[in-house]
Amino acid sequence: MTAWQLLFFCQTLLIATGRFKQHRRLGYFGAALALAVVAAGVQAVLKQPAFYAELGEAPPFPMEILVVGNIFGFGLFGTLVAAAIALRRDTASHRRLMYWACIVTMGPALTPGRSLGAFIVPYFPATFPPEITLGWISWIALLIHDWRTARFFHPSTIVGGMLILFVAPAMLDWLLQIRSVSTWVQSLATG
């Protein structure tokens, strides 16, 4: 995931300095990297229940949330990147979709199970944790940018924010209510 965030930073610098040809060339690597991130991430997530069972420790979240939430996050990341690639000729949509994909990758770093998250979580109310705050700040910042630069809100800004802040959490909550999902996650702990 760190490689993706570094690539995102490099790609942003290439565009900011007008090196569009290098940006496009590096984009091919980015597409392959995004695919690798999703594949490796899902594989690692599927091994977590067995890992915690072997350690005899409880995970930082209920196992269902850890597994299903992370798989859902990787799926959302992959979908946003794929949409950005498909819309690469529409610069405004491409930029915003890549922005949202990057925001999705940062959320897990702010959860209590990570060093940064463990440090900052005490300063946030339980009903508004840092990863949710990041989503809201990101959406508000992009809405302000859209309004200041174009006097309208770009559809990718609206859809991305709604997807990350409303649709994805609702779908995740719904998935976690399905008993067979819970049973499947628990079966991963036994191999």
Side-chain angles (χ1 to χ4, degrees):
M1 198 55 78
T2 303
W4 172 262
Q5 291 163 344
L6 289 172
L7 174 72
F8 181 81
F9 179 72
C10 290
Q11 288 288 66
T12 303
L13 283 177
L14 288 173
I15 289 298
T17 56
R19 297 188 299 209
F20 305 110
K21 195 173 189 177
Q22 291 91 337
H23 172 80
R24 281 190 288 277
R25 251 190 258 134
L26 192 55
Y28 292 111
F29 170 74
L33 180 60
L35 187 61
V37 163
V38 171
V42 169
Q43 184 179 3
V45 167
L46 293 175
K47 292 180 180 180
Q48 284 183 334
F51 171 77
Y52 281 108
E54 266 183 43
L55 282 179
E57 292 183 17
F61 299 103
M63 191 57 70
E64 291 82 3
I65 293 173
L66 189 68
V67 172
V68 177
N70 281 319
I71 289 173
F72 199 81
F74 282 113
L76 182 57
F77 166 77
T79 300
L80 289 165
V81 171
I85 291 169
L87 295 171
R88 67 189 174 277
R89 302 222 188 286
D90 175 357
T91 304
S93 294
H94 176 76
R95 287 179 180 171
R96 284 163 179 78
L97 291 166
M98 285 299 195
Y99 171 83
W100 287 122
C102 193
I103 296 302
V104 168
T105 68
M106 288 190 259
L110 303 176
T111 59
R114 306 294 177 129
S115 301
L116 177 61
F119 177 73
I120 65 173
V121 162
Y123 302 102
F124 288 84
T127 56
F128 208 69
E131 63 273 20
I132 301 300
T133 306
L134 171 68
W136 278 102
I137 290 171
S138 301
W139 197 21
I140 291 166
L142 196 51
L143 288 167
I144 291 170
H145 168 78
D146 282 358
W147 189 255
R148 290 183 75 197
T149 58
R151 291 286 184 246
F152 79 99
F153 301 123
H154 193 279
S156 295
T157 299
I158 295 168
V159 170
M162 292 186 75
L163 183 64
I164 289 171
L165 293 169
F166 301 109
V167 176
M171 288 180 68
L172 181 59
D173 284 347
W174 175 76
L175 278 171
L176 291 171
Q177 300 302 315
I178 300 172
R179 186 170 190 80
S180 59
V181 170
S182 179
T183 305
W184 170 71
V185 170
Q186 295 306 320
S187 74
L188 294 172
T190 59

PDB file of all heavy atoms in Angstrom, residues 11 13-14 20 29 38-39 45 68 83 87 93 95 98 100 119 124 127 151-155 162 167 170 181 186:
ATOM      1  N   GLN A  11       3.014  10.620  -9.305  1.00  0.00           N
ATOM      2  CA  GLN A  11       2.139  10.951 -10.429  1.00  0.00           C
ATOM      3  C   GLN A  11       1.616  12.387 -10.309  1.00  0.00           C
ATOM      4  O   GLN A  11       1.542  13.119 -11.301  1.00  0.00           O
ATOM      5  CB  GLN A  11       0.968   9.970 -10.510  1.00  0.00           C
ATOM      6  CG  GLN A  11       1.346   8.583 -10.988  1.00  0.00           C
ATOM      7  CD  GLN A  11       1.671   8.564 -12.469  1.00  0.00           C
ATOM      8  OE1 GLN A  11       2.639   9.149 -12.928  1.00  0.00           O
ATOM      9  NE2 GLN A  11       0.838   7.883 -13.236  1.00  0.00           N
ATOM     10  N   LEU A  13       3.153  14.840  -8.788  1.00  0.00           N
ATOM     11  CA  LEU A  13       4.287  15.720  -9.103  1.00  0.00           C
ATOM     12  C   LEU A  13       4.532  15.801 -10.605  1.00  0.00           C
ATOM     13  O   LEU A  13       4.829  16.885 -11.131  1.00  0.00           O
ATOM     14  CB  LEU A  13       5.558  15.225  -8.407  1.00  0.00           C
ATOM     15  CG  LEU A  13       5.678  15.509  -6.916  1.00  0.00           C
ATOM     16  CD1 LEU A  13       6.952  14.894  -6.356  1.00  0.00           C
ATOM     17  CD2 LEU A  13       5.642  17.007  -6.649  1.00  0.00           C
ATOM     18  N   LEU A  14       4.432  14.683 -11.293  1.00  0.00           N
ATOM     19  CA  LEU A  14       4.635  14.690 -12.744  1.00  0.00           C
ATOM     20  C   LEU A  14       3.617  15.598 -13.434  1.00  0.00           C
ATOM     21  O   LEU A  14       3.971  16.373 -14.327  1.00  0.00           O
ATOM     22  CB  LEU A  14       4.555  13.267 -13.309  1.00  0.00           C
ATOM     23  CG  LEU A  14       5.733  12.350 -12.980  1.00  0.00           C
ATOM     24  CD1 LEU A  14       5.449  10.929 -13.449  1.00  0.00           C
ATOM     25  CD2 LEU A  14       7.018  12.879 -13.606  1.00  0.00           C
ATOM     26  N   PHE A  20       3.562  15.153 -18.737  1.00  0.00           N
ATOM     27  CA  PHE A  20       2.406  14.304 -19.007  1.00  0.00           C
ATOM     28  C   PHE A  20       2.795  12.967 -19.623  1.00  0.00           C
ATOM     29  O   PHE A  20       2.181  11.945 -19.332  1.00  0.00           O
ATOM     30  CB  PHE A  20       1.419  15.036 -19.917  1.00  0.00           C
ATOM     31  CG  PHE A  20       1.006  16.365 -19.358  1.00  0.00           C
ATOM     32  CD1 PHE A  20       1.418  17.550 -19.950  1.00  0.00           C
ATOM     33  CD2 PHE A  20       0.220  16.434 -18.217  1.00  0.00           C
ATOM     34  CE1 PHE A  20       1.042  18.774 -19.425  1.00  0.00           C
ATOM     35  CE2 PHE A  20      -0.165  17.650 -17.684  1.00  0.00           C
ATOM     36  CZ  PHE A  20       0.250  18.831 -18.288  1.00  0.00           C
ATOM     37  N   PHE A  29       2.393   1.173 -15.105  1.00  0.00           N
ATOM     38  CA  PHE A  29       2.903   0.519 -13.898  1.00  0.00           C
ATOM     39  C   PHE A  29       1.887   0.664 -12.769  1.00  0.00           C
ATOM     40  O   PHE A  29       1.658  -0.273 -11.994  1.00  0.00           O
ATOM     41  CB  PHE A  29       4.258   1.126 -13.490  1.00  0.00           C
ATOM     42  CG  PHE A  29       4.726   0.669 -12.141  1.00  0.00           C
ATOM     43  CD1 PHE A  29       5.213  -0.612 -11.952  1.00  0.00           C
ATOM     44  CD2 PHE A  29       4.667   1.525 -11.050  1.00  0.00           C
ATOM     45  CE1 PHE A  29       5.642  -1.033 -10.701  1.00  0.00           C
ATOM     46  CE2 PHE A  29       5.091   1.114  -9.797  1.00  0.00           C
ATOM     47  CZ  PHE A  29       5.580  -0.170  -9.624  1.00  0.00           C
ATOM     48  N   VAL A  38      -4.554  -4.973  -4.678  1.00  0.00           N
ATOM     49  CA  VAL A  38      -5.837  -5.617  -4.382  1.00  0.00           C
ATOM     50  C   VAL A  38      -5.637  -7.116  -4.151  1.00  0.00           C
ATOM     51  O   VAL A  38      -6.119  -7.673  -3.153  1.00  0.00           O
ATOM     52  CB  VAL A  38      -6.864  -5.358  -5.504  1.00  0.00           C
ATOM     53  CG1 VAL A  38      -8.113  -6.203  -5.304  1.00  0.00           C
ATOM     54  CG2 VAL A  38      -7.218  -3.877  -5.564  1.00  0.00           C
ATOM     55  N   ALA A  39      -4.898  -7.775  -5.043  1.00  0.00           N
ATOM     56  CA  ALA A  39      -4.693  -9.231  -4.919  1.00  0.00           C
ATOM     57  C   ALA A  39      -3.946  -9.577  -3.634  1.00  0.00           C
ATOM     58  O   ALA A  39      -4.370 -10.466  -2.872  1.00  0.00           O
ATOM     59  CB  ALA A  39      -3.944  -9.755  -6.136  1.00  0.00           C
ATOM     60  N   VAL A  45      -5.659 -10.403   4.011  1.00  0.00           N
ATOM     61  CA  VAL A  45      -6.855 -10.296   4.862  1.00  0.00           C
ATOM     62  C   VAL A  45      -7.441 -11.677   5.138  1.00  0.00           C
ATOM     63  O   VAL A  45      -7.853 -11.972   6.263  1.00  0.00           O
ATOM     64  CB  VAL A  45      -7.910  -9.377   4.203  1.00  0.00           C
ATOM     65  CG1 VAL A  45      -9.248  -9.501   4.891  1.00  0.00           C
ATOM     66  CG2 VAL A  45      -7.435  -7.941   4.225  1.00  0.00           C
ATOM     67  N   VAL A  68     -14.267  -8.585   6.440  1.00  0.00           N
ATOM     68  CA  VAL A  68     -15.209  -8.085   5.436  1.00  0.00           C
ATOM     69  C   VAL A  68     -14.935  -6.617   5.132  1.00  0.00           C
ATOM     70  O   VAL A  68     -14.949  -6.197   3.972  1.00  0.00           O
ATOM     71  CB  VAL A  68     -16.667  -8.313   5.887  1.00  0.00           C
ATOM     72  CG1 VAL A  68     -17.642  -7.730   4.884  1.00  0.00           C
ATOM     73  CG2 VAL A  68     -16.932  -9.801   6.082  1.00  0.00           C
ATOM     74  N   ALA A  83     -12.189   2.732 -12.525  1.00  0.00           N
ATOM     75  CA  ALA A  83     -13.003   3.808 -13.106  1.00  0.00           C
ATOM     76  C   ALA A  83     -12.126   4.971 -13.549  1.00  0.00           C
ATOM     77  O   ALA A  83     -12.347   5.558 -14.616  1.00  0.00           O
ATOM     78  CB  ALA A  83     -14.051   4.272 -12.096  1.00  0.00           C
ATOM     79  N   LEU A  87     -11.697   6.352 -17.337  1.00  0.00           N
ATOM     80  CA  LEU A  87     -12.020   7.756 -17.630  1.00  0.00           C
ATOM     81  C   LEU A  87     -10.768   8.635 -17.728  1.00  0.00           C
ATOM     82  O   LEU A  87     -10.847   9.845 -17.525  1.00  0.00           O
ATOM     83  CB  LEU A  87     -12.961   8.300 -16.549  1.00  0.00           C
ATOM     84  CG  LEU A  87     -14.335   7.651 -16.486  1.00  0.00           C
ATOM     85  CD1 LEU A  87     -15.103   8.112 -15.251  1.00  0.00           C
ATOM     86  CD2 LEU A  87     -15.121   7.951 -17.759  1.00  0.00           C
ATOM     87  N   SER A  93     -12.460  13.936 -14.064  1.00  0.00           N
ATOM     88  CA  SER A  93     -12.956  12.704 -13.425  1.00  0.00           C
ATOM     89  C   SER A  93     -11.800  11.817 -12.998  1.00  0.00           C
ATOM     90  O   SER A  93     -11.796  11.271 -11.893  1.00  0.00           O
ATOM     91  CB  SER A  93     -13.871  11.939 -14.382  1.00  0.00           C
ATOM     92  OG  SER A  93     -15.035  12.673 -14.633  1.00  0.00           O
ATOM     93  N   ARG A  95      -8.711  12.583 -12.180  1.00  0.00           N
ATOM     94  CA  ARG A  95      -8.042  13.128 -10.988  1.00  0.00           C
ATOM     95  C   ARG A  95      -8.842  12.857  -9.720  1.00  0.00           C
ATOM     96  O   ARG A  95      -8.289  12.455  -8.696  1.00  0.00           O
ATOM     97  CB  ARG A  95      -7.849  14.633 -11.133  1.00  0.00           C
ATOM     98  CG  ARG A  95      -6.785  15.023 -12.093  1.00  0.00           C
ATOM     99  CD  ARG A  95      -6.695  16.527 -12.171  1.00  0.00           C
ATOM    100  NE  ARG A  95      -5.657  16.923 -13.108  1.00  0.00           N
ATOM    101  CZ  ARG A  95      -5.465  18.154 -13.495  1.00  0.00           C
ATOM    102  NH1 ARG A  95      -6.220  19.129 -13.020  1.00  0.00           N
ATOM    103  NH2 ARG A  95      -4.500  18.440 -14.346  1.00  0.00           N
ATOM    104  N   MET A  98      -8.906   9.094  -8.739  1.00  0.00           N
ATOM    105  CA  MET A  98      -7.620   8.692  -8.147  1.00  0.00           C
ATOM    106  C   MET A  98      -7.472   9.271  -6.738  1.00  0.00           C
ATOM    107  O   MET A  98      -6.949   8.615  -5.836  1.00  0.00           O
ATOM    108  CB  MET A  98      -6.448   9.135  -9.036  1.00  0.00           C
ATOM    109  CG  MET A  98      -6.287   8.291 -10.263  1.00  0.00           C
ATOM    110  SD  MET A  98      -5.958   6.557  -9.812  1.00  0.00           S
ATOM    111  CE  MET A  98      -5.391   5.945 -11.371  1.00  0.00           C
ATOM    112  N   TRP A 100      -9.929   9.867  -4.657  1.00  0.00           N
ATOM    113  CA  TRP A 100     -10.749   9.047  -3.768  1.00  0.00           C
ATOM    114  C   TRP A 100     -10.102   7.696  -3.496  1.00  0.00           C
ATOM    115  O   TRP A 100     -10.165   7.189  -2.366  1.00  0.00           O
ATOM    116  CB  TRP A 100     -12.163   8.872  -4.331  1.00  0.00           C
ATOM    117  CG  TRP A 100     -12.995  10.103  -4.226  1.00  0.00           C
ATOM    118  CD1 TRP A 100     -13.606  10.777  -5.248  1.00  0.00           C
ATOM    119  CD2 TRP A 100     -13.315  10.834  -3.037  1.00  0.00           C
ATOM    120  NE1 TRP A 100     -14.275  11.874  -4.763  1.00  0.00           N
ATOM    121  CE2 TRP A 100     -14.115  11.932  -3.401  1.00  0.00           C
ATOM    122  CE3 TRP A 100     -13.001  10.665  -1.690  1.00  0.00           C
ATOM    123  CZ2 TRP A 100     -14.604  12.853  -2.477  1.00  0.00           C
ATOM    124  CZ3 TRP A 100     -13.491  11.581  -0.781  1.00  0.00           C
ATOM    125  CH2 TRP A 100     -14.274  12.654  -1.169  1.00  0.00           C
ATOM    126  N   PHE A 119      -2.446   6.506  18.411  1.00  0.00           N
ATOM    127  CA  PHE A 119      -2.032   7.785  18.981  1.00  0.00           C
ATOM    128  C   PHE A 119      -3.138   8.835  18.910  1.00  0.00           C
ATOM    129  O   PHE A 119      -3.362   9.575  19.866  1.00  0.00           O
ATOM    130  CB  PHE A 119      -0.770   8.288  18.261  1.00  0.00           C
ATOM    131  CG  PHE A 119      -0.309   9.629  18.714  1.00  0.00           C
ATOM    132  CD1 PHE A 119       0.290   9.797  19.955  1.00  0.00           C
ATOM    133  CD2 PHE A 119      -0.483  10.743  17.915  1.00  0.00           C
ATOM    134  CE1 PHE A 119       0.705  11.041  20.384  1.00  0.00           C
ATOM    135  CE2 PHE A 119      -0.065  11.992  18.329  1.00  0.00           C
ATOM    136  CZ  PHE A 119       0.526  12.145  19.567  1.00  0.00           C
ATOM    137  N   PHE A 124     -10.589  11.756  19.374  1.00  0.00           N
ATOM    138  CA  PHE A 124     -11.798  11.766  18.554  1.00  0.00           C
ATOM    139  C   PHE A 124     -12.934  11.088  19.301  1.00  0.00           C
ATOM    140  O   PHE A 124     -12.715  10.094  19.996  1.00  0.00           O
ATOM    141  CB  PHE A 124     -11.556  11.006  17.235  1.00  0.00           C
ATOM    142  CG  PHE A 124     -10.673  11.738  16.281  1.00  0.00           C
ATOM    143  CD1 PHE A 124      -9.296  11.651  16.393  1.00  0.00           C
ATOM    144  CD2 PHE A 124     -11.214  12.517  15.276  1.00  0.00           C
ATOM    145  CE1 PHE A 124      -8.472  12.336  15.515  1.00  0.00           C
ATOM    146  CE2 PHE A 124     -10.403  13.199  14.389  1.00  0.00           C
ATOM    147  CZ  PHE A 124      -9.028  13.112  14.509  1.00  0.00           C
ATOM    148  N   THR A 127     -18.085   8.211  18.082  1.00  0.00           N
ATOM    149  CA  THR A 127     -19.055   8.264  16.987  1.00  0.00           C
ATOM    150  C   THR A 127     -18.503   8.938  15.730  1.00  0.00           C
ATOM    151  O   THR A 127     -19.165   8.944  14.694  1.00  0.00           O
ATOM    152  CB  THR A 127     -20.322   9.014  17.441  1.00  0.00           C
ATOM    153  OG1 THR A 127     -19.924  10.307  17.917  1.00  0.00           O
ATOM    154  CG2 THR A 127     -21.048   8.245  18.524  1.00  0.00           C
ATOM    155  N   ARG A 151     -16.977  26.886  -9.951  1.00  0.00           N
ATOM    156  CA  ARG A 151     -18.307  27.334  -9.537  1.00  0.00           C
ATOM    157  C   ARG A 151     -19.386  26.265  -9.702  1.00  0.00           C
ATOM    158  O   ARG A 151     -20.550  26.564  -9.905  1.00  0.00           O
ATOM    159  CB  ARG A 151     -18.723  28.606 -10.263  1.00  0.00           C
ATOM    160  CG  ARG A 151     -17.961  29.825  -9.877  1.00  0.00           C
ATOM    161  CD  ARG A 151     -18.432  30.282  -8.491  1.00  0.00           C
ATOM    162  NE  ARG A 151     -17.766  31.531  -8.107  1.00  0.00           N
ATOM    163  CZ  ARG A 151     -16.917  31.626  -7.094  1.00  0.00           C
ATOM    164  NH1 ARG A 151     -16.623  30.586  -6.362  1.00  0.00           N
ATOM    165  NH2 ARG A 151     -16.370  32.771  -6.797  1.00  0.00           N
ATOM    166  N   PHE A 152     -18.971  25.001  -9.672  1.00  0.00           N
ATOM    167  CA  PHE A 152     -19.928  23.893  -9.634  1.00  0.00           C
ATOM    168  C   PHE A 152     -19.213  22.692  -9.018  1.00  0.00           C
ATOM    169  O   PHE A 152     -17.998  22.676  -8.912  1.00  0.00           O
ATOM    170  CB  PHE A 152     -20.485  23.559 -11.024  1.00  0.00           C
ATOM    171  CG  PHE A 152     -19.585  22.733 -11.893  1.00  0.00           C
ATOM    172  CD1 PHE A 152     -19.766  21.357 -12.001  1.00  0.00           C
ATOM    173  CD2 PHE A 152     -18.551  23.325 -12.613  1.00  0.00           C
ATOM    174  CE1 PHE A 152     -18.938  20.593 -12.804  1.00  0.00           C
ATOM    175  CE2 PHE A 152     -17.713  22.565 -13.413  1.00  0.00           C
ATOM    176  CZ  PHE A 152     -17.911  21.194 -13.505  1.00  0.00           C
ATOM    177  N   PHE A 153     -20.007  21.720  -8.594  1.00  0.00           N
ATOM    178  CA  PHE A 153     -19.445  20.508  -7.991  1.00  0.00           C
ATOM    179  C   PHE A 153     -19.374  19.432  -9.061  1.00  0.00           C
ATOM    180  O   PHE A 153     -20.400  19.066  -9.648  1.00  0.00           O
ATOM    181  CB  PHE A 153     -20.298  20.043  -6.808  1.00  0.00           C
ATOM    182  CG  PHE A 153     -20.422  21.075  -5.728  1.00  0.00           C
ATOM    183  CD1 PHE A 153     -21.663  21.526  -5.318  1.00  0.00           C
ATOM    184  CD2 PHE A 153     -19.301  21.611  -5.116  1.00  0.00           C
ATOM    185  CE1 PHE A 153     -21.794  22.482  -4.320  1.00  0.00           C
ATOM    186  CE2 PHE A 153     -19.410  22.570  -4.126  1.00  0.00           C
ATOM    187  CZ  PHE A 153     -20.656  23.002  -3.731  1.00  0.00           C
ATOM    188  N   HIS A 154     -18.178  18.924  -9.280  1.00  0.00           N
ATOM    189  CA  HIS A 154     -17.978  17.894 -10.295  1.00  0.00           C
ATOM    190  C   HIS A 154     -18.699  16.616  -9.864  1.00  0.00           C
ATOM    191  O   HIS A 154     -18.679  16.249  -8.680  1.00  0.00           O
ATOM    192  CB  HIS A 154     -16.481  17.628 -10.482  1.00  0.00           C
ATOM    193  CG  HIS A 154     -16.177  16.825 -11.687  1.00  0.00           C
ATOM    194  ND1 HIS A 154     -16.287  15.466 -11.709  1.00  0.00           N
ATOM    195  CD2 HIS A 154     -15.799  17.202 -12.934  1.00  0.00           C
ATOM    196  CE1 HIS A 154     -15.966  15.016 -12.908  1.00  0.00           C
ATOM    197  NE2 HIS A 154     -15.661  16.056 -13.669  1.00  0.00           N
ATOM    198  N   PRO A 155     -19.327  15.913 -10.802  1.00  0.00           N
ATOM    199  CA  PRO A 155     -20.037  14.666 -10.452  1.00  0.00           C
ATOM    200  C   PRO A 155     -19.146  13.641  -9.738  1.00  0.00           C
ATOM    201  O   PRO A 155     -19.616  12.950  -8.826  1.00  0.00           O
ATOM    202  CB  PRO A 155     -20.515  14.138 -11.807  1.00  0.00           C
ATOM    203  CG  PRO A 155     -20.612  15.347 -12.678  1.00  0.00           C
ATOM    204  CD  PRO A 155     -19.528  16.279 -12.212  1.00  0.00           C
ATOM    205  N   MET A 162     -20.117  10.547  -1.656  1.00  0.00           N
ATOM    206  CA  MET A 162     -21.295   9.780  -1.219  1.00  0.00           C
ATOM    207  C   MET A 162     -20.972   8.291  -1.134  1.00  0.00           C
ATOM    208  O   MET A 162     -21.426   7.613  -0.214  1.00  0.00           O
ATOM    209  CB  MET A 162     -22.462  10.042  -2.153  1.00  0.00           C
ATOM    210  CG  MET A 162     -22.976  11.468  -2.032  1.00  0.00           C
ATOM    211  SD  MET A 162     -24.445  11.784  -2.989  1.00  0.00           S
ATOM    212  CE  MET A 162     -25.647  10.960  -1.976  1.00  0.00           C
ATOM    213  N   VAL A 167     -22.659   5.180   1.034  1.00  0.00           N
ATOM    214  CA  VAL A 167     -23.007   3.914   0.391  1.00  0.00           C
ATOM    215  C   VAL A 167     -22.150   2.761   0.919  1.00  0.00           C
ATOM    216  O   VAL A 167     -22.682   1.724   1.330  1.00  0.00           O
ATOM    217  CB  VAL A 167     -22.905   4.024  -1.149  1.00  0.00           C
ATOM    218  CG1 VAL A 167     -23.179   2.686  -1.804  1.00  0.00           C
ATOM    219  CG2 VAL A 167     -23.861   5.095  -1.674  1.00  0.00           C
ATOM    220  N   ALA A 170     -22.977   1.711   4.529  1.00  0.00           N
ATOM    221  CA  ALA A 170     -24.291   1.061   4.594  1.00  0.00           C
ATOM    222  C   ALA A 170     -24.222  -0.361   4.043  1.00  0.00           C
ATOM    223  O   ALA A 170     -24.781  -1.294   4.624  1.00  0.00           O
ATOM    224  CB  ALA A 170     -25.330   1.880   3.828  1.00  0.00           C
ATOM    225  N   VAL A 181     -22.063 -14.879   6.196  1.00  0.00           N
ATOM    226  CA  VAL A 181     -20.807 -14.117   6.109  1.00  0.00           C
ATOM    227  C   VAL A 181     -20.019 -14.313   7.398  1.00  0.00           C
ATOM    228  O   VAL A 181     -18.813 -14.578   7.373  1.00  0.00           O
ATOM    229  CB  VAL A 181     -21.082 -12.618   5.829  1.00  0.00           C
ATOM    230  CG1 VAL A 181     -19.802 -11.790   5.987  1.00  0.00           C
ATOM    231  CG2 VAL A 181     -21.680 -12.429   4.462  1.00  0.00           C
ATOM    232  N   GLN A 186     -15.533 -16.925  10.363  1.00  0.00           N
ATOM    233  CA  GLN A 186     -15.088 -17.780  11.471  1.00  0.00           C
ATOM    234  C   GLN A 186     -14.392 -19.049  10.942  1.00  0.00           C
ATOM    235  O   GLN A 186     -13.454 -19.538  11.548  1.00  0.00           O
ATOM    236  CB  GLN A 186     -16.271 -18.145  12.377  1.00  0.00           C
ATOM    237  CG  GLN A 186     -16.873 -16.975  13.087  1.00  0.00           C
ATOM    238  CD  GLN A 186     -15.865 -16.168  13.883  1.00  0.00           C
ATOM    239  OE1 GLN A 186     -14.965 -16.689  14.524  1.00  0.00           O
ATOM    240  NE2 GLN A 186     -16.006 -14.847  13.822  1.00  0.00           N
TER     241      GLN A 186
END
